[in-house]
Amino acid sequence: MDRLMMIFARRPLLIVFCALLLAGCPLFRDPASPPFSDRIEAVQSLSEYGIVVREDWSEMRVVNNGVREFLILDAPVEDGRRLLVLNSNLSLADTSVDTGGIREAFPVGYGAGFVVGRQLFDENGVRVEGPDPVFNGNQLDSGEAAVGNTNEIVRVRVDEGSSVLTIGPRYTSGDDYSDPDPDPTVPFTIRLVDGPEEGDPPEPEFGFRLRAFSNPPASANSEVRLGLVLENSGSFWAGSLSFSDVSQLFSTPVGDEAALTIGSETYSSLLSVPTFSSMDSPDRSDEFTITPNEVISLGRDRHEIFSRSNGELIATRVVPRDEYFLYAYSPTGRHMYMLDRVRWRVYRVSAWW
């Protein structure tokens, strides 16, 4: 009888334990050690910078201009949201008010500064005080991307379900990248397919969506590139254009069909450009990073690495889900950054594939 009473007396404790475990209490979901522990190169606690982060949604992105690399972290803090700019060694370069999201972070030239949302930062990662916000505050939306140099920035977009990559408008450094160039935008066909009847001329294929963009730095070159990931009915393509490619398309005379000349070859559609290739069924994700040699897909619980040259899957890694850790890859492909959302520590990790 005493043994039976002890079992029933312990049941409430067992019920509480199970409830906490199922509810995701931090006590039980705090991992014993971070993933990729054998590849950690640097670690930094955000509390050491006086940043008190609330456990809430946050976002990270890496900007690399070919000379320097910065980790951009948009974090919820006690008084709202803060934008943190960390150097590659995880030292603090700048902190400022939230800029409205950091999908819009991209470099503006080799060795120069970068844009985050509506704000311009210099080559040291310090926010530039100016009279006008970048793009006059009309920051990029989910269907847009941008590429720039020290003289100008060009926006590109893909309207959902579209058949074209729209080039423009263009903004110049003379007005702090605030006012658009009066030149009209230019449509560049994404993909041409054979007509419905044999012998019919090729026609544009509709249904494309821009899933992600990043800016892989060019090697031994002063040009930043624009990397794009496109989807159409579950099929994916990834590739990149140089700033010169985008400028060439933008300069298409009014009334002419846009075409891209590279060397001795001319291409009449985006996916026919040699830097683009189809991908082997990536895990469903809106987060991709394009590096000079790979395309990285950041799924909810796995990361996948695809070859830039042929789109084949070359590596897969299962990772803790995003309520535990947040991840961001360098456009160089050399590093990955992790944010521990339990301890609020940032890690720099060497490439694992």
Side-chain angles (χ1 to χ4, degrees), residues 15-47:
I15 292 171
V16 170
F17 177 88
C18 293
L20 288 171
L21 185 62
L22 293 173
C25 173
L27 175 63
F28 295 101
R29 66 180 177 83
D30 187 359
S33 63
F36 307 96
S37 58
D38 60 328
R39 294 183 175 273
I40 292 175
E41 299 175 331
V43 59
Q44 176 65 52
S45 172
L46 295 181
S47 64

PDB file of all heavy atoms in Angstrom, residues 15-47:
ATOM      1  N   ILE A  15       3.678  14.999 -14.298  1.00  0.00           N
ATOM      2  CA  ILE A  15       2.817  15.783 -15.206  1.00  0.00           C
ATOM      3  C   ILE A  15       3.421  17.156 -15.459  1.00  0.00           C
ATOM      4  O   ILE A  15       3.463  17.653 -16.584  1.00  0.00           O
ATOM      5  CB  ILE A  15       1.400  15.897 -14.622  1.00  0.00           C
ATOM      6  CG1 ILE A  15       0.724  14.516 -14.631  1.00  0.00           C
ATOM      7  CG2 ILE A  15       0.571  16.912 -15.407  1.00  0.00           C
ATOM      8  CD1 ILE A  15      -0.596  14.490 -13.887  1.00  0.00           C
ATOM      9  N   VAL A  16       3.933  17.806 -14.406  1.00  0.00           N
ATOM     10  CA  VAL A  16       4.556  19.128 -14.559  1.00  0.00           C
ATOM     11  C   VAL A  16       5.788  19.035 -15.441  1.00  0.00           C
ATOM     12  O   VAL A  16       6.013  19.862 -16.330  1.00  0.00           O
ATOM     13  CB  VAL A  16       4.919  19.711 -13.179  1.00  0.00           C
ATOM     14  CG1 VAL A  16       5.782  20.955 -13.338  1.00  0.00           C
ATOM     15  CG2 VAL A  16       3.664  20.033 -12.401  1.00  0.00           C
ATOM     16  N   PHE A  17       6.618  17.997 -15.235  1.00  0.00           N
ATOM     17  CA  PHE A  17       7.828  17.807 -16.045  1.00  0.00           C
ATOM     18  C   PHE A  17       7.475  17.676 -17.523  1.00  0.00           C
ATOM     19  O   PHE A  17       8.067  18.328 -18.393  1.00  0.00           O
ATOM     20  CB  PHE A  17       8.570  16.562 -15.556  1.00  0.00           C
ATOM     21  CG  PHE A  17       9.794  16.238 -16.355  1.00  0.00           C
ATOM     22  CD1 PHE A  17      11.020  16.801 -16.032  1.00  0.00           C
ATOM     23  CD2 PHE A  17       9.729  15.392 -17.445  1.00  0.00           C
ATOM     24  CE1 PHE A  17      12.155  16.514 -16.768  1.00  0.00           C
ATOM     25  CE2 PHE A  17      10.848  15.102 -18.188  1.00  0.00           C
ATOM     26  CZ  PHE A  17      12.063  15.657 -17.847  1.00  0.00           C
ATOM     27  N   CYS A  18       6.490  16.850 -17.812  1.00  0.00           N
ATOM     28  CA  CYS A  18       6.085  16.644 -19.209  1.00  0.00           C
ATOM     29  C   CYS A  18       5.507  17.913 -19.821  1.00  0.00           C
ATOM     30  O   CYS A  18       5.756  18.228 -20.981  1.00  0.00           O
ATOM     31  CB  CYS A  18       5.072  15.503 -19.301  1.00  0.00           C
ATOM     32  SG  CYS A  18       5.770  13.892 -18.881  1.00  0.00           S
ATOM     33  N   ALA A  19       4.733  18.663 -19.031  1.00  0.00           N
ATOM     34  CA  ALA A  19       4.134  19.895 -19.554  1.00  0.00           C
ATOM     35  C   ALA A  19       5.201  20.908 -19.916  1.00  0.00           C
ATOM     36  O   ALA A  19       5.139  21.574 -20.952  1.00  0.00           O
ATOM     37  CB  ALA A  19       3.174  20.483 -18.517  1.00  0.00           C
ATOM     38  N   LEU A  20       6.215  21.043 -19.038  1.00  0.00           N
ATOM     39  CA  LEU A  20       7.302  21.969 -19.336  1.00  0.00           C
ATOM     40  C   LEU A  20       8.066  21.558 -20.582  1.00  0.00           C
ATOM     41  O   LEU A  20       8.449  22.372 -21.407  1.00  0.00           O
ATOM     42  CB  LEU A  20       8.259  22.048 -18.147  1.00  0.00           C
ATOM     43  CG  LEU A  20       7.748  22.774 -16.907  1.00  0.00           C
ATOM     44  CD1 LEU A  20       8.729  22.578 -15.756  1.00  0.00           C
ATOM     45  CD2 LEU A  20       7.511  24.245 -17.178  1.00  0.00           C
ATOM     46  N   LEU A  21       8.302  20.261 -20.717  1.00  0.00           N
ATOM     47  CA  LEU A  21       9.052  19.763 -21.870  1.00  0.00           C
ATOM     48  C   LEU A  21       8.297  20.024 -23.159  1.00  0.00           C
ATOM     49  O   LEU A  21       8.846  20.498 -24.146  1.00  0.00           O
ATOM     50  CB  LEU A  21       9.317  18.263 -21.688  1.00  0.00           C
ATOM     51  CG  LEU A  21      10.188  17.589 -22.751  1.00  0.00           C
ATOM     52  CD1 LEU A  21      11.573  18.221 -22.744  1.00  0.00           C
ATOM     53  CD2 LEU A  21      10.275  16.099 -22.492  1.00  0.00           C
ATOM     54  N   LEU A  22       6.991  19.748 -23.161  1.00  0.00           N
ATOM     55  CA  LEU A  22       6.185  19.922 -24.364  1.00  0.00           C
ATOM     56  C   LEU A  22       5.978  21.391 -24.690  1.00  0.00           C
ATOM     57  O   LEU A  22       5.834  21.778 -25.846  1.00  0.00           O
ATOM     58  CB  LEU A  22       4.833  19.218 -24.203  1.00  0.00           C
ATOM     59  CG  LEU A  22       4.906  17.685 -24.122  1.00  0.00           C
ATOM     60  CD1 LEU A  22       3.527  17.106 -23.792  1.00  0.00           C
ATOM     61  CD2 LEU A  22       5.416  17.102 -25.423  1.00  0.00           C
ATOM     62  N   ALA A  23       5.954  22.243 -23.677  1.00  0.00           N
ATOM     63  CA  ALA A  23       5.732  23.672 -23.899  1.00  0.00           C
ATOM     64  C   ALA A  23       6.974  24.392 -24.383  1.00  0.00           C
ATOM     65  O   ALA A  23       6.921  25.557 -24.735  1.00  0.00           O
ATOM     66  CB  ALA A  23       5.249  24.325 -22.600  1.00  0.00           C
ATOM     67  N   GLY A  24       8.102  23.702 -24.384  1.00  0.00           N
ATOM     68  CA  GLY A  24       9.328  24.334 -24.879  1.00  0.00           C
ATOM     69  C   GLY A  24       9.956  25.269 -23.875  1.00  0.00           C
ATOM     70  O   GLY A  24      10.567  26.268 -24.229  1.00  0.00           O
ATOM     71  N   CYS A  25       9.797  24.965 -22.580  1.00  0.00           N
ATOM     72  CA  CYS A  25      10.419  25.790 -21.550  1.00  0.00           C
ATOM     73  C   CYS A  25      11.924  25.885 -21.794  1.00  0.00           C
ATOM     74  O   CYS A  25      12.567  24.879 -22.091  1.00  0.00           O
ATOM     75  CB  CYS A  25      10.158  25.165 -20.176  1.00  0.00           C
ATOM     76  SG  CYS A  25      11.042  25.974 -18.826  1.00  0.00           S
ATOM     77  N   PRO A  26      12.536  27.100 -21.706  1.00  0.00           N
ATOM     78  CA  PRO A  26      13.966  27.252 -21.970  1.00  0.00           C
ATOM     79  C   PRO A  26      14.837  26.307 -21.149  1.00  0.00           C
ATOM     80  O   PRO A  26      15.895  25.888 -21.587  1.00  0.00           O
ATOM     81  CB  PRO A  26      14.227  28.716 -21.599  1.00  0.00           C
ATOM     82  CG  PRO A  26      12.926  29.395 -21.824  1.00  0.00           C
ATOM     83  CD  PRO A  26      11.881  28.393 -21.429  1.00  0.00           C
ATOM     84  N   LEU A  27      14.374  25.955 -19.921  1.00  0.00           N
ATOM     85  CA  LEU A  27      15.156  25.050 -19.096  1.00  0.00           C
ATOM     86  C   LEU A  27      15.399  23.729 -19.805  1.00  0.00           C
ATOM     87  O   LEU A  27      16.454  23.126 -19.690  1.00  0.00           O
ATOM     88  CB  LEU A  27      14.427  24.813 -17.766  1.00  0.00           C
ATOM     89  CG  LEU A  27      15.063  23.786 -16.804  1.00  0.00           C
ATOM     90  CD1 LEU A  27      16.429  24.273 -16.361  1.00  0.00           C
ATOM     91  CD2 LEU A  27      14.150  23.534 -15.612  1.00  0.00           C
ATOM     92  N   PHE A  28      14.398  23.265 -20.577  1.00  0.00           N
ATOM     93  CA  PHE A  28      14.502  21.960 -21.211  1.00  0.00           C
ATOM     94  C   PHE A  28      14.891  22.044 -22.679  1.00  0.00           C
ATOM     95  O   PHE A  28      15.283  21.052 -23.272  1.00  0.00           O
ATOM     96  CB  PHE A  28      13.170  21.211 -21.068  1.00  0.00           C
ATOM     97  CG  PHE A  28      12.847  20.888 -19.627  1.00  0.00           C
ATOM     98  CD1 PHE A  28      11.949  21.664 -18.919  1.00  0.00           C
ATOM     99  CD2 PHE A  28      13.478  19.844 -18.986  1.00  0.00           C
ATOM    100  CE1 PHE A  28      11.665  21.369 -17.586  1.00  0.00           C
ATOM    101  CE2 PHE A  28      13.202  19.550 -17.654  1.00  0.00           C
ATOM    102  CZ  PHE A  28      12.295  20.316 -16.951  1.00  0.00           C
ATOM    103  N   ARG A  29      14.784  23.206 -23.300  1.00  0.00           N
ATOM    104  CA  ARG A  29      15.164  23.302 -24.705  1.00  0.00           C
ATOM    105  C   ARG A  29      16.530  23.967 -24.889  1.00  0.00           C
ATOM    106  O   ARG A  29      16.990  24.158 -25.989  1.00  0.00           O
ATOM    107  CB  ARG A  29      14.118  24.043 -25.517  1.00  0.00           C
ATOM    108  CG  ARG A  29      13.943  25.521 -25.181  1.00  0.00           C
ATOM    109  CD  ARG A  29      12.867  26.126 -26.081  1.00  0.00           C
ATOM    110  NE  ARG A  29      12.579  27.505 -25.784  1.00  0.00           N
ATOM    111  CZ  ARG A  29      13.258  28.537 -26.223  1.00  0.00           C
ATOM    112  NH1 ARG A  29      14.327  28.341 -26.968  1.00  0.00           N
ATOM    113  NH2 ARG A  29      12.908  29.765 -25.925  1.00  0.00           N
ATOM    114  N   ASP A  30      17.194  24.345 -23.795  1.00  0.00           N
ATOM    115  CA  ASP A  30      18.527  24.928 -23.882  1.00  0.00           C
ATOM    116  C   ASP A  30      19.522  23.827 -24.231  1.00  0.00           C
ATOM    117  O   ASP A  30      19.775  22.934 -23.431  1.00  0.00           O
ATOM    118  CB  ASP A  30      18.886  25.556 -22.537  1.00  0.00           C
ATOM    119  CG  ASP A  30      20.196  26.322 -22.596  1.00  0.00           C
ATOM    120  OD1 ASP A  30      20.824  26.349 -23.682  1.00  0.00           O
ATOM    121  OD2 ASP A  30      20.582  26.886 -21.563  1.00  0.00           O
ATOM    122  N   PRO A  31      20.083  23.852 -25.434  1.00  0.00           N
ATOM    123  CA  PRO A  31      20.995  22.777 -25.811  1.00  0.00           C
ATOM    124  C   PRO A  31      22.263  22.803 -24.958  1.00  0.00           C
ATOM    125  O   PRO A  31      22.723  23.845 -24.511  1.00  0.00           O
ATOM    126  CB  PRO A  31      21.312  23.076 -27.279  1.00  0.00           C
ATOM    127  CG  PRO A  31      21.057  24.540 -27.424  1.00  0.00           C
ATOM    128  CD  PRO A  31      19.945  24.871 -26.475  1.00  0.00           C
ATOM    129  N   ALA A  32      22.826  21.622 -24.737  1.00  0.00           N
ATOM    130  CA  ALA A  32      24.011  21.521 -23.887  1.00  0.00           C
ATOM    131  C   ALA A  32      25.193  22.257 -24.506  1.00  0.00           C
ATOM    132  O   ALA A  32      26.003  22.843 -23.803  1.00  0.00           O
ATOM    133  CB  ALA A  32      24.356  20.057 -23.663  1.00  0.00           C
ATOM    134  N   SER A  33      25.314  22.222 -25.813  1.00  0.00           N
ATOM    135  CA  SER A  33      26.398  22.927 -26.495  1.00  0.00           C
ATOM    136  C   SER A  33      25.899  23.357 -27.863  1.00  0.00           C
ATOM    137  O   SER A  33      24.992  22.747 -28.420  1.00  0.00           O
ATOM    138  CB  SER A  33      27.625  22.024 -26.640  1.00  0.00           C
ATOM    139  OG  SER A  33      27.331  20.901 -27.440  1.00  0.00           O
ATOM    140  N   PRO A  34      26.488  24.409 -28.434  1.00  0.00           N
ATOM    141  CA  PRO A  34      26.019  24.875 -29.738  1.00  0.00           C
ATOM    142  C   PRO A  34      26.374  23.886 -30.842  1.00  0.00           C
ATOM    143  O   PRO A  34      27.339  23.125 -30.710  1.00  0.00           O
ATOM    144  CB  PRO A  34      26.756  26.203 -29.921  1.00  0.00           C
ATOM    145  CG  PRO A  34      27.968  26.076 -29.065  1.00  0.00           C
ATOM    146  CD  PRO A  34      27.553  25.245 -27.899  1.00  0.00           C
ATOM    147  N   PRO A  35      25.620  23.875 -31.928  1.00  0.00           N
ATOM    148  CA  PRO A  35      26.001  23.038 -33.068  1.00  0.00           C
ATOM    149  C   PRO A  35      27.310  23.538 -33.684  1.00  0.00           C
ATOM    150  O   PRO A  35      27.742  24.654 -33.403  1.00  0.00           O
ATOM    151  CB  PRO A  35      24.829  23.204 -34.038  1.00  0.00           C
ATOM    152  CG  PRO A  35      24.203  24.508 -33.658  1.00  0.00           C
ATOM    153  CD  PRO A  35      24.397  24.644 -32.184  1.00  0.00           C
ATOM    154  N   PHE A  36      27.919  22.692 -34.506  1.00  0.00           N
ATOM    155  CA  PHE A  36      29.183  23.030 -35.166  1.00  0.00           C
ATOM    156  C   PHE A  36      30.272  23.375 -34.139  1.00  0.00           C
ATOM    157  O   PHE A  36      31.138  24.204 -34.395  1.00  0.00           O
ATOM    158  CB  PHE A  36      29.007  24.198 -36.140  1.00  0.00           C
ATOM    159  CG  PHE A  36      27.924  24.021 -37.148  1.00  0.00           C
ATOM    160  CD1 PHE A  36      26.657  24.551 -36.945  1.00  0.00           C
ATOM    161  CD2 PHE A  36      28.156  23.311 -38.325  1.00  0.00           C
ATOM    162  CE1 PHE A  36      25.653  24.386 -37.883  1.00  0.00           C
ATOM    163  CE2 PHE A  36      27.155  23.146 -39.263  1.00  0.00           C
ATOM    164  CZ  PHE A  36      25.904  23.675 -39.048  1.00  0.00           C
ATOM    165  N   SER A  37      30.211  22.775 -32.950  1.00  0.00           N
ATOM    166  CA  SER A  37      31.134  23.155 -31.870  1.00  0.00           C
ATOM    167  C   SER A  37      32.594  22.934 -32.245  1.00  0.00           C
ATOM    168  O   SER A  37      33.477  23.621 -31.719  1.00  0.00           O
ATOM    169  CB  SER A  37      30.794  22.375 -30.595  1.00  0.00           C
ATOM    170  OG  SER A  37      30.849  20.978 -30.820  1.00  0.00           O
ATOM    171  N   ASP A  38      32.858  21.990 -33.160  1.00  0.00           N
ATOM    172  CA  ASP A  38      34.240  21.737 -33.564  1.00  0.00           C
ATOM    173  C   ASP A  38      34.754  22.748 -34.580  1.00  0.00           C
ATOM    174  O   ASP A  38      35.943  22.722 -34.936  1.00  0.00           O
ATOM    175  CB  ASP A  38      34.367  20.322 -34.140  1.00  0.00           C
ATOM    176  CG  ASP A  38      33.484  20.121 -35.356  1.00  0.00           C
ATOM    177  OD1 ASP A  38      32.401  20.742 -35.419  1.00  0.00           O
ATOM    178  OD2 ASP A  38      33.862  19.337 -36.252  1.00  0.00           O
ATOM    179  N   ARG A  39      33.881  23.657 -35.034  1.00  0.00           N
ATOM    180  CA  ARG A  39      34.291  24.636 -36.048  1.00  0.00           C
ATOM    181  C   ARG A  39      34.130  26.080 -35.580  1.00  0.00           C
ATOM    182  O   ARG A  39      34.258  27.007 -36.377  1.00  0.00           O
ATOM    183  CB  ARG A  39      33.494  24.418 -37.335  1.00  0.00           C
ATOM    184  CG  ARG A  39      33.810  23.078 -38.002  1.00  0.00           C
ATOM    185  CD  ARG A  39      33.080  22.898 -39.309  1.00  0.00           C
ATOM    186  NE  ARG A  39      33.494  21.679 -39.971  1.00  0.00           N
ATOM    187  CZ  ARG A  39      34.533  21.575 -40.798  1.00  0.00           C
ATOM    188  NH1 ARG A  39      35.273  22.629 -41.049  1.00  0.00           N
ATOM    189  NH2 ARG A  39      34.835  20.422 -41.365  1.00  0.00           N
ATOM    190  N   ILE A  40      33.836  26.282 -34.315  1.00  0.00           N
ATOM    191  CA  ILE A  40      33.656  27.641 -33.791  1.00  0.00           C
ATOM    192  C   ILE A  40      35.000  28.368 -33.750  1.00  0.00           C
ATOM    193  O   ILE A  40      35.978  27.866 -33.197  1.00  0.00           O
ATOM    194  CB  ILE A  40      33.007  27.603 -32.401  1.00  0.00           C
ATOM    195  CG1 ILE A  40      31.564  27.099 -32.517  1.00  0.00           C
ATOM    196  CG2 ILE A  40      33.047  28.992 -31.748  1.00  0.00           C
ATOM    197  CD1 ILE A  40      30.879  26.903 -31.187  1.00  0.00           C
ATOM    198  N   GLU A  41      35.036  29.560 -34.352  1.00  0.00           N
ATOM    199  CA  GLU A  41      36.253  30.374 -34.409  1.00  0.00           C
ATOM    200  C   GLU A  41      36.211  31.568 -33.466  1.00  0.00           C
ATOM    201  O   GLU A  41      37.250  32.084 -33.050  1.00  0.00           O
ATOM    202  CB  GLU A  41      36.477  30.878 -35.838  1.00  0.00           C
ATOM    203  CG  GLU A  41      36.651  29.783 -36.861  1.00  0.00           C
ATOM    204  CD  GLU A  41      36.749  30.323 -38.270  1.00  0.00           C
ATOM    205  OE1 GLU A  41      36.158  31.398 -38.553  1.00  0.00           O
ATOM    206  OE2 GLU A  41      37.415  29.681 -39.105  1.00  0.00           O
ATOM    207  N   ALA A  42      35.007  32.052 -33.149  1.00  0.00           N
ATOM    208  CA  ALA A  42      34.862  33.218 -32.276  1.00  0.00           C
ATOM    209  C   ALA A  42      33.481  33.177 -31.639  1.00  0.00           C
ATOM    210  O   ALA A  42      32.539  32.630 -32.217  1.00  0.00           O
ATOM    211  CB  ALA A  42      35.045  34.517 -33.065  1.00  0.00           C
ATOM    212  N   VAL A  43      33.368  33.743 -30.444  1.00  0.00           N
ATOM    213  CA  VAL A  43      32.093  33.811 -29.747  1.00  0.00           C
ATOM    214  C   VAL A  43      32.001  35.148 -29.023  1.00  0.00           C
ATOM    215  O   VAL A  43      33.012  35.679 -28.551  1.00  0.00           O
ATOM    216  CB  VAL A  43      31.921  32.631 -28.765  1.00  0.00           C
ATOM    217  CG1 VAL A  43      33.036  32.624 -27.729  1.00  0.00           C
ATOM    218  CG2 VAL A  43      30.558  32.678 -28.085  1.00  0.00           C
ATOM    219  N   GLN A  44      30.794  35.702 -28.957  1.00  0.00           N
ATOM    220  CA  GLN A  44      30.603  36.999 -28.314  1.00  0.00           C
ATOM    221  C   GLN A  44      29.215  37.041 -27.667  1.00  0.00           C
ATOM    222  O   GLN A  44      28.213  36.721 -28.310  1.00  0.00           O
ATOM    223  CB  GLN A  44      30.723  38.142 -29.326  1.00  0.00           C
ATOM    224  CG  GLN A  44      30.452  39.514 -28.764  1.00  0.00           C
ATOM    225  CD  GLN A  44      31.474  39.921 -27.723  1.00  0.00           C
ATOM    226  OE1 GLN A  44      32.674  39.855 -27.960  1.00  0.00           O
ATOM    227  NE2 GLN A  44      31.006  40.326 -26.557  1.00  0.00           N
ATOM    228  N   SER A  45      29.173  37.437 -26.396  1.00  0.00           N
ATOM    229  CA  SER A  45      27.904  37.632 -25.705  1.00  0.00           C
ATOM    230  C   SER A  45      27.401  39.045 -25.976  1.00  0.00           C
ATOM    231  O   SER A  45      28.147  40.018 -25.802  1.00  0.00           O
ATOM    232  CB  SER A  45      28.070  37.423 -24.204  1.00  0.00           C
ATOM    233  OG  SER A  45      26.888  37.799 -23.524  1.00  0.00           O
ATOM    234  N   LEU A  46      26.166  39.172 -26.406  1.00  0.00           N
ATOM    235  CA  LEU A  46      25.620  40.500 -26.691  1.00  0.00           C
ATOM    236  C   LEU A  46      25.471  41.323 -25.416  1.00  0.00           C
ATOM    237  O   LEU A  46      25.495  42.555 -25.470  1.00  0.00           O
ATOM    238  CB  LEU A  46      24.272  40.373 -27.405  1.00  0.00           C
ATOM    239  CG  LEU A  46      24.300  39.739 -28.800  1.00  0.00           C
ATOM    240  CD1 LEU A  46      22.906  39.697 -29.400  1.00  0.00           C
ATOM    241  CD2 LEU A  46      25.253  40.496 -29.718  1.00  0.00           C
ATOM    242  N   SER A  47      25.309  40.673 -24.278  1.00  0.00           N
ATOM    243  CA  SER A  47      25.163  41.423 -23.025  1.00  0.00           C
ATOM    244  C   SER A  47      26.419  42.219 -22.699  1.00  0.00           C
ATOM    245  O   SER A  47      26.349  43.229 -22.001  1.00  0.00           O
ATOM    246  CB  SER A  47      24.831  40.461 -21.885  1.00  0.00           C
ATOM    247  OG  SER A  47      25.895  39.555 -21.659  1.00  0.00           O
TER     248      SER A  47
END
